[in-house]
Amino acid sequence: MLTGNRYQPFTNAGAYRLDVSEYAVPDNDSCETASSISDLPATIRGSTKGSRPDFNNEVCGASPDGFGVWYSFTGAGNIITFTTSTTEQYKTVRYTVFSGPCGSLSCEQSYDLFDRSGQFVTENGTDYKLLLTGEDFDDRDNFELQINQYSFAMNDLCKDAVELKEFPFSGDMKGATPDTAIQCVRYTTSSYPGVWFSYVGTGNLIGLDATLVGSWDWALLTGFCDGLSCHHRGSEHSRKVLTFETELGVQYYFFLATKNNLVDNPFTIAVAAENAWCEDAVNIQKFPFSYSGEVKGSTNNTDISCTEGRTSTNPGVWFSYVGTGNLVNWTISFDDSSWEWASMAGSCDRLICYLQDSERGQEVLTFQTIVGRQYFFYISSGNNIDNSFSVEVVDYVV
């Protein structure tokens, strides 16, 4: 540590303190002395302390100000993933992958990720060098490097899309790679690893209920793999229920991608709930009425005009009934967490908010109805989870 006033002559600087630390140069400080990684998966603990700059100019994304260590491995024609943790949470790590001998390295891939996780597709029998660096001297520290290898996912390519016939369908992102053929350019779906599904439209709704770590992208496309057209696209965080109305006989392709380069993200695809839309509301014709179901496969309904709460932004299901002039008593029970409801009158294309609230657990709700008026009742989960619920409705003569 050197302290003092840099803007004054040395004779006016006053007292100084100089601390000098010395570190041994790591054994794998250069390409020629790269540590060999022979068996995968592998967990490597090391340090960049004492490492020196590797290049005079920026090479393959690696900065001349970076101080790093080198590793070598041989490709097996599969996917290699790198995950690094450092002793400080917010340190940025750059991975740079080269092929060929040290004297004539060829740039393969370089990426700088905040979450310190990434992947690389190898060619069988090719020798690779991995350079692991920080951005500057302050990023030199102890680290743990985890390297795994995966075979390609069976539905990694559009031509190998898994046809969705039975629901729900569960899977993960192991072995997924980016797909640059996607032309939904508003989002960056094509740059993230993902998997493909196909579905022939039935004229009904299809819902995607996914749980992924971090944020994720999706694209719904039509046509053929060599000529896809973007039908719908989106970018979500953590859990979200997405529902699409399909046309009878139309071939759809669905691409689901993780934005965090994490290969073990689980997900589930399910058909939409039968009453996911106002037009498909379960019609209550006789009282008493009982119904049990779950929110999975439902969608959020942004056309709900009960704006005081968040009802329209959470997935929910619909019921309808015609008023009798009597009191209608609703007893609603959710498994857990919070839930919201909205009672409306009118028609699906012109709903008028009647009552709205947010509750927890079980609640008894009573409404005075008008003879002949069409009512709609919307129940939504406040936490976007697989909430099972039950409804009992009784009509009382006033």
Side-chain angles (χ1 to χ4, degrees), residues 49-277:
K49 287 184 174 71
S51 60
R52 299 167 294 186
D54 296 285
F55 305 106
N56 294 324
N57 302 297
E58 182 174 316
V59 176
C60 193
S63 170
D65 297 326
F67 299 76
V69 288
W70 292 78
Y71 296 90
S72 64
F73 62 93
T74 301
N78 53 16
I79 299 172
I80 298 290
T81 64
F82 309 111
T83 303
T84 304
S85 59
T86 60
T87 54
E88 292 188 18
Q89 180 179 1
Y90 296 108
K91 291 192 173 182
T92 303
V93 174
R94 173 169 288 277
Y95 303 89
T96 306
V97 181
F98 301 92
S99 62
C102 291
S104 57
L105 292 172
S106 297
C107 177
E108 294 290 340
Q109 187 172 345
S110 182
Y111 41 92
D112 199 355
L113 296 177
F114 176 79
D115 60 6
R116 300 178 296 278
S117 181
Q119 68 175 31
F120 175 67
V121 179
T122 68
E123 293 186 13
N124 189 33
T126 298
D127 293 327
Y128 295 98
K129 299 292 192 299
L130 169 65
L131 173 61
L132 178 63
T133 62
E135 291 181 336
D136 51 37
F137 182 86
D138 292 335
D139 277 330
R140 296 190 293 174
D141 214 332
N142 299 318
F143 64 85
E144 180 178 281
L145 173 64
Q146 295 179 343
I147 305 180
N148 292 289
Q149 63 179 351
Y150 298 92
S151 300
F152 292 97
M154 64 176 180
N155 54 341
D156 183 51
L157 301 175
C158 176
K159 67 180 182 66
D160 299 319
V162 171
E163 184 176 1
L164 295 173
K165 292 182 177 180
E166 298 182 359
F167 298 93
F169 181 94
S170 298
D172 56 42
M173 292 291 179
K174 288 186 176 70
T177 61
D179 199 313
T180 56
I182 298 178
Q183 299 301 316
C184 293
V185 294
R186 181 180 177 186
Y187 297 92
T188 52
T189 308
S190 61
S191 63
Y192 299 123
V195 288
W196 286 87
F197 301 90
S198 65
Y199 179 76
V200 178
T202 60
N204 299 324
L205 296 175
I206 180 174
L208 168 67
D209 182 9
T211 305
L212 293 171
V213 177
S215 54
W216 49 280
D217 280 1
W218 52 267
L220 181 69
L221 308 103
T222 57
F224 303 94
C225 289
D226 57 353
L228 292 169
S229 298
C230 186
H231 184 274
H232 212 69
R233 59 194 173 226
S235 182
E236 312 296 343
H237 294 275
S238 298
R239 189 177 198 116
K240 193 72 174 179
V241 178
L242 310 169
T243 307
F244 312 99
E245 187 171 0
T246 65
E247 296 182 25
L248 181 63
V250 172
Q251 178 69 64
Y252 294 91
Y253 289 93
F254 194 89
F255 183 72
L256 180 62
T258 174
K259 298 172 66 175
N260 291 55
N261 287 326
L262 301 174
V263 297
D264 56 351
N265 274 339
F267 60 88
T268 300
I269 298 177
V271 292
E274 63 173 343
N275 51 343
W277 294 96

Side-chain angles (χ1 to χ4, degrees), residues 354-374:
Y354 184 59
L355 289 172
Q356 182 267 343
D357 207 347
S358 179
E359 310 292 347
R360 292 181 179 272
Q362 180 170 316
E363 187 70 16
V364 177
L365 313 169
T366 302
F367 310 109
Q368 174 68 56
T369 65
I370 298 175
V371 176
R373 173 169 289 185
Q374 179 69 62

Side-chain angles (χ1 to χ4, degrees), residues 4-80:
N5 192 333
R6 58 180 293 191
Y7 301 107
Q8 299 294 331
F10 185 81
T11 56
N12 297 330
Y16 274 83
R17 174 184 172 184
L18 177 64
D19 293 334
V20 180
S21 297
E22 181 180 22
Y23 300 101
V25 176
D27 293 338
N28 57 340
D29 182 53
S30 67
C31 176
E32 291 78 8
T33 60
S35 297
S36 176
I37 303 172
S38 56
D39 297 322
L40 297 178
T43 299
I44 301 169
R45 295 174 179 86
S47 174
T48 56
K49 287 184 174 71
S51 60
R52 299 167 294 186
D54 296 285
F55 305 106
N56 294 324
N57 302 297
E58 182 174 316
V59 176
C60 193
S63 170
D65 297 326
F67 299 76
V69 288
W70 292 78
Y71 296 90
S72 64
F73 62 93
T74 301
N78 53 16
I79 299 172
I80 298 290

Side-chain angles (χ1 to χ4, degrees), residues 282-396:
V282 171
N283 187 22
I284 302 173
Q285 296 180 334
K286 294 182 179 181
F287 297 97
F289 171 82
S290 296
Y291 184 94
S292 297
E294 58 184 14
V295 181
K296 178 183 290 187
S298 62
T299 182
N300 51 352
N301 286 259
T302 55
D303 56 348
I304 297 178
S305 59
C306 295
T307 56
E308 293 182 2
R310 297 180 294 111
T311 310
S312 62
T313 63
N314 294 320
V317 289
W318 291 82
F319 299 88
S320 67
Y321 59 97
V322 177
T324 61
N326 300 327
L327 288 175
V328 174
N329 187 85
W330 289 73
T331 302
I332 308 169
S333 178
F334 265 90
D335 275 353
D336 57 12
S337 78
S338 60
W339 54 275
E340 296 173 344
W341 55 268
S343 179
M344 291 155 280
S347 58
C348 289
D349 59 352
R350 180 176 288 185
L351 292 168
I352 300 173
C353 187
Y354 184 59
L355 289 172
Q356 182 267 343
D357 207 347
S358 179
E359 310 292 347
R360 292 181 179 272
Q362 180 170 316
E363 187 70 16
V364 177
L365 313 169
T366 302
F367 310 109
Q368 174 68 56
T369 65
I370 298 175
V371 176
R373 173 169 289 185
Q374 179 69 62
Y375 292 93
F376 291 90
F377 196 87
Y378 182 72
I379 306 174
S380 66
S381 169
N383 285 5
N384 288 333
I385 63 175
D386 296 342
N387 256 340
S388 297
F389 67 93
S390 62
V391 174
E392 293 185 3
V393 187
V394 179
D395 182 73
Y396 292 105

